[in-house]
Amino acid sequence: MAAAVWTERGRRAVTALGTVTRASHSTVKSQYDALVIGGGCVCLCVQAAYLQRGGVKTAVLERRHVLGGAAVSEEIVPGFHFSRCSYLLSLLRPHIYSDLELKKHGLKVYMRDPHAFTPMLEEGVRGAPPRSLTLGSDLAMNQKEIGKFSQKDAKAFPEFVTHLEKLAGAIHPLLDAPPVDIPGVTAGSLRKRLSAAKTLMPIVRCGVLQLNIPDFYEIITAPIMKILNRWFESEPLIATLATDAVIGAMTSPNNPGSGYVLLHHVMGELEKEKGAWGYVEGGMGGVSKAIASSARSHGADIFTEKDVGQVLVGSDGAAKGVVLKDGTEIHSRVVLSNATPYVTFKKLTPQGSLSPEFIKAVDQIDFTSPVTKINVAVDKLPNFLAAPTPDGKPGPHHQCSIHLNCESVAVLEAAYKDAMNGRPSKRPMLEMTIPSVLDPTLAPPGCHVVSLFTQFTPFHIEGREWTDQDREAFADLVFDWVERYAPGFKGSVVGRDILAPPDLERIFGLTGGNIFHGSMSLDQLYLARPLPSLSDYRSPIKGLYLCGSGSHPAKKKLLNNSKYVLYFRFLKVATLCFVDSTANPWPSLNELHDVVT
Ligand SMILES: Cc1cc2nc3c(=O)[nH]c(=O)nc-3n(C[C@H](O)[C@H](O)[C@H](O)COP(=O)(O)OP(=O)(O)OC[C@H]3O[C@@H](n4cnc5c(N)ncnc54)[C@H](O)[C@@H]3O)c2cc1C
């Protein structure tokens, strides 16, 4: 069980128990054109809003009582509204707002600037507080901050930022289109091959945009430390940058591929600011709510508490709809699965309709995750030794991602090694955010919601299941570390919600607890995501598609049909809601076209 507890003090502090974001319950029809399994943010957006808007009668079936998947707001402690999993928004392209009219549908974002605060755990010198590093959009301020640790690094930093921005920009063409069609390019008639060759264009554009191909190749494949050590010398700066190279991933900054993870986390854009991240008013469920509202306004049916038990496969081997766990059959011409590839093919698809080789390949997909999310309700703002704000008023650093236990890469490496040895880190890497310093709707006056994204924690502890005692012990350990940086934190806690990897799997359907629906290792990206045979979103079952973040994002217009142009305009924005999320642009639009016209 996930541990969600609140103290008596918490009970007294708040009295009103709000409501979760339930979907309206119109009656499920027995037949749709398209059914979407799962009401995660991206799929809601794509399948419901886009397909429905294109005239395809669509229904979304979410098994939980609340929409949004991992982009959800929940009132776990009375009066405190948490972004229970995902907590920061980035790749929401400017055209999302206009295309989906998300502002009209209630989406409000608070920009986060400065964005990173790394306090040191050290004795201050001659009465001075411990040092800290704060980074934001103001380059001069960044240089001043970095200069506290190294003048050389302060000088190099602006060039590094430009370099990284260029590398991040070059990857966009790959995100914006389905992966290259390898079978199409290498087999079949010349006409077919030429047609499939169009899928090579994004790679060409990526190469053209990226004039420095060796640097691009290096950041995709190298350990991030190889790159950072070339640019910088100060540990707090290197470690702060390195956190983005391991966040959400069971990897170390010294492992190959961590460079790509860093790139992944800096290629966003929010409110026209490159690489910017922000908080959604009311929590991340606010994105899902706005998207669902947009979808409904076009007539999509969206249901919660509809747990899909199985995809119905007809005698012709094609998907015919789904059967819910309560036995209700719902028929459709196509089925899109927002569940992870593992859940889709091992739990929801009749195993007899898949080949043993395919099932084995699905078994080999890596879903390892290092993440335990702890949501904390506090009745006092944390007060950091390194940047004291004694009057309880937030300082600029309170709106940042606050990096604790990130003074050096050696600390991160040790934390990773603990988990690789089967145990939660003794000194875990902690990313703390306090969205309520910007958004007063989240907590009662004077109180705050604190999100602790922690790693590294394995799915099994030395080969056995997590117990409630393990969860509490890990949260206690995390709080002890926070207390060292911000004395008084432990005494301010009025409630906590602990989500270890097995809880993320059980509650949110995230296989292995993996926040990306599959590790972002080099062997599981682009044309190998989630498997080489599934890179075009089609499954071995005709009419069954993957649309969640376990597959590669894509947002290109594939069919020259005005009816579908609209879809793709939407897909274009939807797929980048979350960089790691994938909106399926109907690689088989022709198939869909045949079905619905
Ligand atoms: C702890 C955590 C922190 C994160 N932080 C961030 C962040 O700060 N920023 C960011 O951009 N991303 C973050 N992410 C990742 C982000 O949340 C995901 O990329 C995004 O939610 C993926 O969206 P999705 O629609 O593909 O899938 P999901 O959000 O996983 O949704 C899948 C949905 O399918 C439903 N489902 C599964 N099986 C069935 C079934 N049988 N019947 C009906 N429904 C079913 C599930 O209940 C779920 O609602 C985080 C994720 C986690 C877990």
Side-chain angles (χ1 to χ4, degrees):
M1 288 291 289
V5 293
W6 57 92
T7 62
E8 272 313 306
R9 196 146 56 91
R11 283 181 211 276
R12 284 198 305 273
V14 291
T15 48
L17 180 63
T19 52
V20 291
T21 319
R22 280 171 192 271
S24 65
H25 281 256
S26 51
T27 317
V28 184
K29 298 180 183 64
S30 58
Q31 176 78 48
Y32 288 88
D33 293 328
L35 281 176
V36 181
I37 305 173
C41 175
V42 174
C43 277
L44 266 174
C45 192
V46 175
Q47 276 70 37
Y50 303 51
L51 296 183
Q52 183 67 47
R53 225 181 133 143
V56 180
K57 187 62 198 157
T58 306
V60 175
L61 306 167
E62 166 56 44
R63 80 188 164 90
R64 293 198 72 212
H65 60 288
V66 59
L67 289 171
V72 71
S73 304
E74 289 188 68
E75 189 180 24
I76 301 297
V77 178
F80 292 81
H81 300 265
F82 295 97
S83 288
R84 203 174 177 199
C85 287
S86 177
Y87 51 102
L88 278 164
L89 187 66
S90 181
L91 293 178
L92 190 62
R93 304 282 231 182
H95 40 275
I96 288 180
Y97 290 95
S98 49
D99 281 359
L100 290 184
E101 300 181 297
L102 293 187
K103 279 190 178 163
K104 184 179 124 192
H105 288 283
L107 181 64
K108 183 171 171 193
V109 176
Y110 296 93
M111 299 300 284
R112 183 189 62 156
D113 191 18
H115 61 251
F117 172 63
T118 309
M120 302 292 103
L121 206 52
E122 61 183 13
E123 292 293 323
V125 180
R126 275 184 242 110
R131 290 170 303 165
S132 62
L133 173 70
T134 305
L135 299 174
S137 65
D138 181 341
L139 215 48
M141 187 276 280
N142 291 343
Q143 287 186 287
K144 199 166 153 219
E145 284 286 308
I146 297 166
K148 292 195 284 198
F149 300 93
S150 159
Q151 284 302 329
K152 182 173 162 276
D153 288 2
K155 207 161 159 239
F157 191 69
E159 200 189 327
F160 175 75
V161 171
T162 310
H163 178 69
L164 208 58
E165 272 175 12
K166 200 165 162 234
L167 294 175
I171 211 163
H172 282 148
L174 298 186
L175 288 176
D176 294 353
V180 60
D181 177 4
I182 296 285
V185 174
T186 53
S189 67
L190 183 62
R191 203 166 143 240
K192 266 191 156 173
R193 284 196 216 193
L194 284 175
S195 168
K198 278 186 248 162
T199 61
L200 287 165
M201 277 316 288
I203 293 188
V204 174
R205 281 178 52 217
C206 175
V208 170
L209 280 176
Q210 182 37 255
L211 299 173
N212 190 343
I213 289 172
D215 279 353
F216 187 64
Y217 182 79
E218 185 186 49
I219 198 156
I220 299 280
T221 56
I224 195 62
M225 287 313 297
K226 188 178 170 193
I227 297 164
L228 293 177
N229 279 336
R230 218 166 40 229
W231 282 87
F232 304 119
E233 61 183 15
S234 63
E235 278 294 334
L237 176 63
I238 292 176
T240 300
L241 296 172
T243 58
D244 267 344
V246 298
I247 198 112
M250 184 63 100
T251 192
S252 132
N254 290 304
N255 286 353
S258 50
Y260 173 76
V261 182
L262 174 80
L263 202 58
H264 182 93
H265 286 104
V266 298
M267 58 197 172
E269 180 179 327
L270 195 56
E271 298 275 17
K272 297 186 182 159
E273 267 183 53
K274 288 205 179 1
W277 291 72
Y279 299 105
V280 176
E281 186 173 77
M284 284 296 270
V287 188
S288 310
K289 216 167 143 186
I291 291 167
S293 166
S294 175
R296 280 204 197 95
S297 71
H298 296 295
D301 285 348
I302 302 176
F303 301 98
T304 53
E305 293 165 330
K306 300 288 174 225
D307 197 349
V308 174
Q310 203 157 63
V311 174
L312 290 169
V313 178
S315 52
D316 59 353
K320 297 278 180 251
V322 302
V323 56
L324 302 182
K325 283 203 177 145
D326 66 9
T328 311
E329 284 196 10
I330 311 171
H331 295 267
S332 65
R333 298 169 178 211
V334 285
V335 177
L336 293 95
S337 178
N338 184 200
T340 69
Y342 185 88
V343 170
T344 304
F345 296 116
K346 293 285 300 210
K347 302 232 168 116
L348 301 181
T349 309
Q351 297 297 278
S353 55
L354 298 169
S355 72
E357 294 75 26
F358 179 78
I359 292 171
K360 190 164 184 182
V362 171
D363 279 330
Q364 287 182 327
I365 299 173
D366 179 12
F367 291 97
T368 315
S369 172
V371 176
T372 289
K373 177 85 189 292
I374 307 177
N375 300 302
V376 195
V378 293
D379 64 5
K380 207 167 66 188
L381 191 63
N383 191 9
F384 294 91
L385 288 174
T389 48
D391 55 357
K393 293 233 159 51
H397 58 289
H398 280 111
Q399 62 177 278
C400 293
S401 276
I402 299 165
H403 299 284
L404 305 181
N405 288 341
C406 294
E407 286 92 342
S408 75
V409 173
V411 174
L412 305 183
E413 182 69 29
Y416 163 71
K417 284 202 173 122
D418 284 343
M420 290 307 283
N421 287 325
R423 290 180 301 272
S425 309
K426 291 187 278 301
R427 188 176 177 187
M429 175 181 123
L430 308 177
E431 183 180 313
M432 174 194 270
T433 48
I434 316 172
S436 47
V437 299
L438 293 176
D439 177 0
T441 69
L442 296 174
C447 298
H448 287 278
V449 290
V450 174
S451 155
L452 286 162
F453 188 91
T454 81
Q455 48 192 90
F456 297 78
T457 50
F459 192 87
H460 290 108
I461 299 181
E462 293 176 325
R464 63 167 176 78
E465 305 288 321
W466 281 70
T467 62
D468 281 347
Q469 213 182 349
D470 293 323
R471 288 178 182 84
E472 299 299 337
F474 182 68
D476 288 345
L477 174 92
V478 167
F479 286 10
D480 284 343
W481 279 109
V482 176
E483 184 77 13
R484 290 184 170 101
Y485 291 89
F489 173 78
K490 280 165 68 174
S492 71
V493 174
V494 293
R496 65 190 194 184
D497 168 43
I498 309 160
L499 299 164
D503 306 315
L504 292 171
E505 178 174 273
R506 182 176 47 80
I507 300 170
F508 299 95
L510 297 165
T511 306
N514 190 286
I515 73 168
F516 305 121
H517 284 204
S519 302
M520 297 220 299
S521 46
L522 295 176
D523 61 324
Q524 294 190 176
L525 289 173
Y526 193 51
L527 50 73
R529 189 158 187 85
L531 291 169
S533 64
L534 287 174
S535 67
D536 64 357
Y537 320 100
R538 290 188 188 90
S539 77
I541 309 291
K542 192 170 185 294
L544 172 64
Y545 302 92
L546 280 182
C547 67
S549 53
S551 41
H552 178 76
K555 56 188 181 70
K556 278 285 158 187
K557 188 169 65 170
L558 299 182
L559 188 68
N560 188 18
N561 175 328
S562 61
K563 183 168 163 186
Y564 295 110
V565 168
L566 192 58
Y567 297 165
F568 286 101
R569 288 196 56 223
F570 279 108
L571 288 164
K572 197 167 176 175
V573 295
T575 51
L576 290 176
C577 274
F578 295 92
V579 66
D580 42 298
S581 302
T582 307
N584 175 2
W586 295 100
S588 52
L589 265 178
N590 288 311
E591 292 166 36
L592 180 68
H593 183 71
D594 291 346
V595 165
V596 298
T597 53

